[in-house]
Amino acid sequence: MKIALLGGTGDYGEGLALRWAHDTPHTVVIGSREQEKAEAKAQEYEQEVQGRGVETTIRGMSNVDAAAAADVTVLAVPPYHVSDTIEAISETLEEGDILVSPATGMKRDEDGFHYHRPGAGSVTRVAADAAPDTIPVVGAFHSLAAGRLADLDVELGIDTLLLADDEDAKDTVRELAESIDGVRPLDAGGIGNAAEVESITPLLINVAQNNDDAHDLGVQFR
Amino acid sequence: MKIALLGGTGDYGEGLALRWAHDTPHTVVIGSREQEKAEAKAQEYEQEVQGRGVETTIRGMSNVDAAAAADVTVLAVPPYHVSDTIEAISETLEEGDILVSPATGMKRDEDGFHYHRPGAGSVTRVAADAAPDTIPVVGAFHSLAAGRLADLDVELGIDTLLLADDEDAKDTVRELAESIDGVRPLDAGGIGNAAEVESITPLLINVAQNNDDAHDLGVQFR
């Protein structure tokens, strides 16, 4: 499968790109609003994976070209760029394509990080509202710490929660999640359940900041 | 230490009562608005624990008498009864006593369960606002599934998150949590971080309802 990581030059996109390129036969494309930046990062990721003896080709493109090339497009962009990123790529999306939303809104105060719930109810819902009617959106990959994902020496052993109103799209993203070693996808239901899932991200930061030897935390349901 | 479980006749109070009585030397007191109900449940729990060869005495009392007898009082009551329960017991609380809030607000729609955030910001904050100024409130034990707690044959292997603005009180509750086999307390910071912690409870229900072989889920941070 071809996976585009829009905003793939950031920490989070890097982690997912490296894992898919290293652990799976899927083709990874890095998207950025600046094509040159995407190309540079793609080359960097490719070298990192090839340096571990895994043959892979990672290409860098503009967000629009990356989405056009892909079957599954991951919106690894800040929450306030989810809508305009979808708008920018929407004409290139074809029936059968899937959008994945891993972003969460956060704000910070003196106690710690907090979920900043969008008026629409969740960032996943914002994405679903912005997407063309024929293109399903799946919420996933919220609770995977970027630093840990990007360090291929670290075994993950963590869960990720899936949210979608389209079961076929959810199945596809479940397979993509499962294809990363040490990631177990669990079904969290429809997009209406996204706020509680997106709330885990600030919680993980708070727990990491308040406990010794806890950083880049993930979560496991058991 | 003496622990009172107000609302201790419910599922959640039962689980904590059995675990503390079985795993620790702490004295457990069951509180209820109806003293007779508390006495009957206390006897039932005592027999369950003694049937496993552990000597223990569990007494049942009115909520007010239970809180008066205890060093640490757990408000195992529905969220909408947290304020009036604290009001009912507040005259019996003495300096050095600690209140523990495990409750969370939930509402349900067609997708699943959702966090119903109180106007004050969290149920833990509601408890802190209702408590006398000298009595610290600690949020804890939100993410322990009642059915699993109450089945002493089940090994837990799960985390619970602590929230408090009083570090000494947090330390005391940390010790109480650690004294239950298979529970690891983690610090989630101040009460201002409670909403993200309380949001885990509806999420655990949603995940349990959407996955085979997942029920009475807990969570582990790793």
Side-chain angles (χ1 to χ4, degrees), chain B residues 83-170:
Chain B
S83 286
D84 54 322
T85 302
I86 293 175
E87 202 175 314
I89 64 169
S90 64
E91 295 210 348
T92 74
L93 297 172
E94 293 169 2
E95 203 163 328
D97 286 352
I98 296 169
L99 292 174
V100 176
S101 175
T104 191
M106 291 195 282
K107 58 189 173 187
R108 188 179 192 170
D109 65 16
E110 64 276 13
D111 280 302
F113 284 83
H114 304 290
Y115 181 47
H116 187 57
R117 184 175 179 155
S122 67
V123 179
T124 311
R125 177 68 73 200
V126 167
D129 288 348
D133 286 345
T134 53
I135 306 296
V137 169
V138 180
F141 309 118
H142 298 92
S143 53
L144 310 178
R148 211 157 136 200
L149 269 187
D151 182 351
L152 292 172
D153 290 328
V154 176
E155 288 186 25
L156 295 173
I158 48 184
D159 296 336
T160 189
L161 297 170
L162 307 177
L163 301 149
D165 297 326
D166 179 311
E167 290 302 319
D168 291 338
K170 194 189 270 179

